[in-house]
Amino acid sequence: MLEGGEDPRFITRRMVILASEDVGNADPQALVVATATAAAIDLVGLPEGAHALAQCAVYLALAPKSNASYLALKAARRHVREHGAQPPPAYLRSGPLAEEGYDYPHDHPGHVAPQDVMPPAVSGTRFYRPDERERELAARHAAIRKARGLEE
């Protein structure tokens, strides 16, 4: 792409998008590598920045892939378009949260409160579903759901 005259900032922009959209939480470090590559291009430019681009390209190509976060965002946006935006529960909106019924997570084992933080009209709706490449997040997600009494 560089030899064809493509702007290295465009290349890094696409790498950042790929790191977040296609690699996602299967390897969260991919986004760090991609944004560091963008910073390196801004800092050193070409020709030396080509090394950072090559390093990032190899990293992203070999990284495990997951689009679970992308799918969750897509589902949540679709839900809002179809059902309208819902305000969060009052205890998350304003004022001293503890006085408005906020159940402080750090007062519970595992720092997980059973209280629902979704808007009442959306309660129980799941948007994020970790996939097989996100084992650690899937385990944490399951533990949180269990601690909140929402076993699968």
Side-chain angles (χ1 to χ4, degrees):
M1 290 174 77
L2 289 174
E3 292 303 315
E6 190 59 71
D7 182 345
R9 290 171 299 188
F10 173 79
I11 297 170
T12 58
R13 178 183 179 277
R14 295 302 311 161
M15 287 177 159
V16 168
I17 293 166
L18 177 121
S20 192
E21 202 173 286
D22 298 306
V23 175
N25 283 322
D27 183 354
Q29 192 65 24
L31 184 56
V32 175
V33 170
T35 57
T37 301
I41 288 296
D42 285 344
L43 182 65
V44 300
L46 294 177
E48 294 89 349
H51 301 288
L53 286 170
Q55 180 183 355
C56 184
V58 169
Y59 190 96
L60 294 176
L62 297 177
K65 311 298 189 280
S66 172
N67 68 345
S69 293
Y70 169 81
L71 294 175
L73 176 63
K74 188 176 170 181
R77 285 179 165 169
R78 182 177 48 250
H79 189 278
V80 170
R81 281 193 307 274
E82 292 172 1
H83 304 284
Q86 302 296 314
Y91 48 82
L92 294 180
R93 277 188 264 162
S94 64
L97 297 178
E99 293 176 21
E100 294 184 24
Y102 180 66
D103 192 3
Y104 194 56
H106 301 289
D107 290 341
H108 296 273
H111 303 269
V112 176
Q115 186 172 48
D116 197 352
V117 295
M118 294 288 276
V122 185
S123 183
T125 304
R126 282 185 62 187
F127 299 112
Y128 173 65
R129 297 183 183 278
D131 66 23
E132 69 278 358
R133 299 304 300 210
E134 299 178 350
R135 285 185 189 96
E136 286 183 39
L137 290 176
R140 178 69 180 141
H141 190 245
I144 290 170
R145 290 181 58 76
K146 183 177 181 180
R148 293 191 60 230
L150 303 170
E151 294 184 65
E152 308 276 311

